[in-house]
Amino acid sequence: MTVAAEQGSRSRWRTLDRSGGGLHLDLLLHTGSAVFAAVTAGTSTLPPHRAWGAVAVVAYLCATLAVAGQLLARHHRPTTPLAGTAARWAVTTAAWVGAALLPLVLQSVERAAGDPDRAQEEVLVIEDSGIRLAENGTPYLSRDAIASLPADERLLGYTPYQPGMALFGLPRAAVDTWWTDARVWFALATVAALALAVRALWRPGRPTDPTGHPASLLLRAVQMATVLPICALTLATGGDDLPVLALCLLALTLAGTGRPGAAGVAVGVAGALKLLAWPIALVLIFWGATRRAGLRVAAGALGLPALALLPVLLVDRAALAENVLRFPLGHGLVTSPAQSPFPGYLIATALPAGRAVAAALLLAAGLAIAVHLVRHPPRTAAATALICGYGLLAAIALMPSTRFGYLLYPLALLAWAPALTTYRSAGSFPQPARTARRQGVDLRT
């Protein structure tokens, strides 16, 4: 990502975000979200999704009315605090509570009361993996153990996650109640990581006017990681992707604030949960190399996933390979249900030798990104976020088996980049002493 492209992306996004003091885009976000929730409630074939839509549509409609009121207040008095960034944060928080946390708690309680249709399959898989981890030292079943299950239960026997994800199932292994639902712990981890990221970017004394100020861009980035329906729906019904995403955003934030070692630890924790974080870790290592901190980033980014894998490898490496490699690659006893109609899936199913063609296209895209990283490594956290966002978008589009929900990763990463860029240009990030001396900056002043 070149400096000119980064600046152009920043300029376009800020122009859009400034419209109506940010409220026009807020209105579009909440109105569109309400429509999405209503359609989901009325047409989805998945019971947890329908239940989410019935609750979320009310939250989004209330947020829409609140933003409309803010626009009216701003029209009568442009400087009114009711239309400022602080008020927009309040509406965003309320919308997220109503559209994500409330349906999550309701579904967890209803499930604990005996309703089996109040959780997606990944919740059951992760909770079962936590129970196996506590009992056997590994979250994975062997191929023979999966084969011995009834045919309609074999899909749930696979755990296509990294070993760390099983930790979210440990509370259910101890106590069977609503608050040990894995989604509750996904939500807590997500809130903690996002709160740390926002705190790292926030600086006391910054004005909170709504006209494209960094505080407004940070708000927009948070909205795309929380209020956006694809994120709220995922957290309420499944949830395993949200802590991974939040940890990746935290890693990029720590990189932008001059803490490469901490950035490596954050993305390493994400990588110990899910493979989707590994490409982000790789790009962050290239960013670190431009600051002579590549080893510090790599220590956490690669070391923590390796530490998570080591005990499982010692217990049953064949089961690990069956769950984490063979099943996602289509060589398991059952087929992955991740079959959203993206180009890679359509090519794999419609063309002769389509899976090989899709795999070749995916490999070509990966090689192109790798060449770009070698020739033009990202020198800012914002450029790193943009490369990660566009790279994951290409990968999701070309993968033979993928889910529509995975789009939450590139959307949130691309929205996070402008906040990182603006805060850097505002002078809030520490400048390395060596770089400052080369540029003739006296750090004593």
Side-chain angles (χ1 to χ4, degrees):
M1 179 62 62
T2 64
V3 174
E6 181 185 339
Q7 291 176 344
S9 174
R10 169 190 170 190
S11 177
R12 288 190 296 272
W13 181 259
R14 290 189 66 180
T15 299
L16 179 62
D17 188 68
R18 282 193 180 111
S19 180
L23 292 171
H24 287 157
L25 203 54
D26 285 356
L27 185 65
L28 179 62
L29 170 65
H30 294 304
T31 303
S33 299
V35 172
F36 181 93
V39 171
T40 301
T43 65
S44 177
T45 59
L46 300 175
H49 287 204
R50 290 200 305 272
W52 169 82
V55 177
V57 67
V58 177
Y60 286 133
L61 285 175
C62 290
T64 300
L65 292 175
V67 175
Q70 288 178 303
L71 280 168
L72 287 174
R74 185 176 186 274
H75 177 73
H76 285 91
R77 192 171 64 138
T79 59
T80 178
L82 293 176
T85 305
R88 292 173 58 213
W89 273 100
V91 173
T92 295
T93 302
W96 188 53
V97 170
L101 298 186
L102 178 59
L104 185 159
V105 171
L106 291 175
Q107 292 198 28
S108 298
V109 171
E110 290 170 359
R111 179 184 171 216
D115 190 339
D117 291 329
R118 287 297 177 265
Q120 289 185 187
E121 293 176 342
E122 54 262 38
V123 177
L124 309 180
V125 168
I126 290 167
E127 290 176 353
D128 287 344
S129 72
I131 294 172
R132 288 194 293 269
L133 178 63
E135 295 177 350
N136 306 321
T138 176
Y140 305 114
L141 288 175
S142 67
R143 188 178 180 89
D144 290 341
I146 296 172
S148 68
L149 297 173
D152 60 348
E153 296 181 12
R154 290 174 183 171
L155 178 61
L156 296 182
Y158 278 99
T159 305
Y161 308 105
Q162 295 301 289
M165 190 66 78
L167 297 178
F168 290 100
L170 287 179
R172 180 54 61 98
V175 181
D176 187 359
T177 185
W178 74 268
W179 55 265
T180 59
D181 190 298
R183 289 169 293 183
V184 174
W185 298 92
F186 293 148
L188 291 174
T190 300
V191 170
L194 285 178
L196 288 173
V198 171
R199 180 65 186 87
L201 288 177
W202 194 266
R203 289 295 180 271
R206 264 182 203 281
T208 56
D209 65 273
T211 56
H213 189 274
S216 180
L217 288 175
L218 177 58
L219 169 61
R220 187 71 69 214
V222 171
Q223 287 175 335
M224 297 298 285
T226 56
V227 176
L228 195 71
I230 196 172
C231 296
L233 168 64
T234 299
L235 185 62
T237 62
D240 57 284
D241 285 299
L242 268 299
V244 179
L245 172 64
L247 285 165
C248 290
L249 296 178
L250 174 60
L252 290 165
T253 300
L254 292 170
T257 53
R259 288 172 275 184
V265 170
V267 78
V269 174
L273 302 178
K274 204 162 187 177
L275 276 172
L276 270 170
W278 288 26
I280 298 173
L282 178 63
V283 181
L284 272 170
I285 291 172
F286 274 90
W287 165 84
T290 66
R291 301 196 167 214
R292 300 186 180 181
L295 290 179
R296 277 189 286 164
V297 177
L302 303 180
L304 289 176
L307 286 176
L309 285 168
L310 182 59
V312 177
L313 282 170
L314 295 176
V315 173
D316 192 341
R317 63 183 180 184
L320 172 67
E322 176 68 22
N323 285 264
V324 178
L325 295 177
R326 291 179 59 84
F327 174 69
L329 292 175
H331 299 295
L333 296 173
V334 292
T335 303
S336 171
Q339 297 178 351
S340 296
F342 289 117
Y345 171 75
L346 296 176
I347 291 171
T349 55
L351 297 180
R355 183 169 285 273
V357 174
L361 291 173
L362 181 62
L363 179 61
L367 288 175
I369 294 172
V371 170
H372 177 82
L373 285 173
V374 172
R375 297 183 61 184
H376 307 286
R379 298 186 178 276
T380 67
T384 304
L386 290 175
I387 291 174
C388 292
Y390 288 124
L392 284 178
L393 188 61
I396 291 167
L398 294 174
M399 288 172 64
S401 297
T402 188
R403 291 180 183 272
F404 175 77
Y406 289 159
L407 287 176
L408 64 87
Y409 287 95
L411 291 177
L413 287 165
L414 293 174
W416 206 260
L420 294 171
T421 304
T422 304
Y423 274 72
R424 176 180 58 80
S425 64
S428 62
F429 293 170
Q431 188 177 27
R434 185 177 300 169
T435 301
R437 285 195 297 269
R438 279 203 307 266
Q439 297 174 352
V441 177
D442 189 349
L443 297 177
R444 294 169 296 179
T445 60

